[in-house]
Amino acid sequence: MLITIGSFDGFHRGHSELLDICRRNADGDNWGVVTFYPHPSEFLGSMRHSLFTLEERELIRRVLGIPHMNVLKFDEAMMNLTPEEFWALLRERFNVDGLVMGSDFHFGRGRSGNAECLKSLAEHDGLRKIFIADLLDKPIYSSSNVRECISAGSMNIALEILGYPFLMMSRVIHGSERGRTMNFPTANLDIHEGRVIPAWGVYCCAVLANNEWHCGAMSIGNNPTFHDVRGTRAEVHILGFSGNIYGDELLVLMLGRVRDIITFADKEALISRITKDTETCRKIYGEVMGQEDTLKFVKRIEEVYSSHKTFTPEIIKLI
């Protein structure tokens, strides 16, 4: 198998060169990515939140047409492997016949191995199909930059780096049901605490509910007007939608930021502003969903998401 190795905390435009090299040089679909769970930086404590959940990464992998995603369990034993030990286990487990790496790739105990080191080890074992892509001249394309954009609420920049809208797969849970009393019913979403959450604010999103796309107005914050929510809550008003979706999983694409979270004087002032927000969301939804690249991605992700019941990949323990 021809493999490309990395943390792959999601897949963005910086990874497209690696994936294209794999497609061009593999024997049909005999290629894939080798990645880690949890993210090595998260395991070591230098990163608080991943960009996507493992299930979301699997969904994106299928949407992008990557034949295989091999997820290795990252633990103390994996962290302490020498470059030579890591390569030996890797080749034995996946029958590796080719490598594709970014020039910034590091691996092994204390990050002691790099792309040239792995190339040397592979060549020593007789591999000839080895490619190192120089990604250092494209510093904007990184998962850390996407995480920073999401944390700041900059969905437009995140879209530019990813090549597709930032997304979340979230289950609908019971909330206070206050939105119904204001004629703006909302679906409260179960936020996975291990992944990055957009900055508090109101956002336009696209929601796939009951196999149909809808424009949504999402609020992320603590509902300061009513002073009864602790922590962060995400709830989305799905425009023009009615139906019971409690317990359902929704696929949400984040399209743009509308405004900050504001404390209103009373419920009437809040209702007035939500009405304006929904109109802003309709405008953003039409603009972003009408873009050619986004439209292609939306059609493909709908097809993949609707045709699979689960997106939980196997986590492989090498040692």
Side-chain angles (χ1 to χ4, degrees):
M1 176 183 287
L2 178 63
I3 62 170
T4 179
I5 316 170
S7 297
F8 293 109
D9 185 16
F11 298 94
H12 51 69
R13 282 183 165 146
H15 296 134
S16 60
E17 186 173 348
L18 302 175
L19 303 179
D20 287 343
I21 292 172
C22 288
R23 290 188 181 96
R24 292 196 303 266
N25 293 279
D27 182 12
D29 284 345
N30 191 31
W31 69 274
V33 302
V34 172
T35 186
F36 306 94
Y37 183 83
H39 191 292
S41 296
E42 194 172 6
F43 180 82
L44 293 170
S46 58
M47 184 181 85
R48 291 185 60 193
H49 301 108
S50 60
L51 181 56
F52 294 108
T53 67
L54 191 55
E55 290 74 18
E56 289 163 353
R57 289 165 67 188
E58 172 66 10
L59 169 63
I60 297 167
R61 186 276 294 181
R62 296 185 188 188
V63 171
L64 298 181
I66 302 168
H68 306 282
M69 183 171 76
N70 306 293
V71 183
L72 305 183
K73 181 175 179 58
F74 193 86
D75 54 16
E76 199 81 24
M78 172 73 71
M79 181 180 70
N80 285 312
L81 289 175
T82 65
E84 293 78 9
E85 290 170 336
F86 176 74
W87 165 242
L89 286 170
L90 197 68
R91 190 174 188 198
E92 178 184 352
R93 179 63 174 79
F94 300 114
N95 192 26
V96 180
D97 62 10
L99 285 170
V100 179
M101 300 165 283
S103 54
D104 59 345
F105 177 66
H106 286 81
F107 70 106
R109 185 185 303 158
R111 290 169 55 88
S112 55
N114 58 21
E116 288 297 334
C117 169
L118 188 53
K119 178 183 177 182
S120 176
L121 291 170
E123 288 177 336
H124 182 268
D125 282 352
L127 270 70
R128 295 292 176 264
K129 208 182 287 186
I130 305 170
F131 307 89
I132 299 178
D134 185 7
L135 305 180
L136 298 178
D137 61 337
K138 303 172 183 176
I140 186 175
Y141 294 123
S142 72
S143 297
S144 59
N145 277 353
V146 182
R147 284 191 295 271
E148 289 176 8
C149 288
I150 300 304
S151 296
S154 302
M155 297 302 161
N156 55 333
I157 303 177
L159 187 153
E160 176 62 27
I161 300 173
L162 287 169
Y164 53 87
F166 176 69
L167 61 87
M168 296 188 290
M169 293 164 57
S170 298
R171 196 160 299 282
V172 179
I173 58 177
H174 284 276
S176 60
E177 300 188 10
R178 183 181 293 112
R180 296 183 182 279
T181 68
M182 298 186 293
N183 205 30
F184 289 102
T186 60
N188 287 267
L189 303 181
D190 186 12
I191 303 175
H192 190 286
E193 56 186 36
R195 55 89 51 76
V196 66
I197 300 298
W200 284 13
V202 175
Y203 296 86
C204 168
C205 58
V207 183
L208 186 62
N210 292 348
N211 296 320
E212 289 187 4
W213 288 105
H214 302 269
C215 175
M218 177 182 285
S219 171
I220 299 178
N222 66 346
N223 294 349
T225 299
F226 299 99
H227 309 288
D228 61 353
V229 176
R230 293 183 179 180
T232 300
R233 174 179 291 182
E235 49 187 320
V236 57
H237 171 59
I238 308 173
L239 280 64
F241 178 83
S242 61
N244 184 1
I245 53 175
Y246 283 121
D248 289 359
E249 183 182 76
L250 298 182
L251 175 61
V252 180
L253 309 183
M254 306 295 290
L255 305 184
R257 183 178 173 88
V258 176
R259 62 170 172 85
D260 292 337
I261 291 292
I262 302 171
T263 302
F264 293 92
D266 50 41
K267 185 167 73 171
E268 287 67 31
L270 174 59
I271 292 173
S272 176
R273 186 54 189 263
I274 292 176
T275 302
K276 293 179 181 178
D277 291 341
T278 57
E279 291 308 310
T280 303
C281 286
R282 290 183 196 277
K283 181 180 179 182
I284 295 173
Y285 183 88
E287 291 173 350
V288 179
M289 294 289 276
Q291 295 172 5
E292 184 177 354
D293 288 346
T294 302
L295 190 59
K296 287 180 181 178
F297 179 80
V298 165
K299 288 182 178 179
R300 178 59 182 155
I301 200 170
E302 177 184 351
E303 176 186 332
V304 173
Y305 187 79
S306 301
S307 60
H308 293 79
K309 292 184 178 179
T310 179
F311 295 92
T312 306
E314 176 190 4
I315 301 175
I316 302 166
K317 190 171 175 61
L318 281 185
I319 1 176

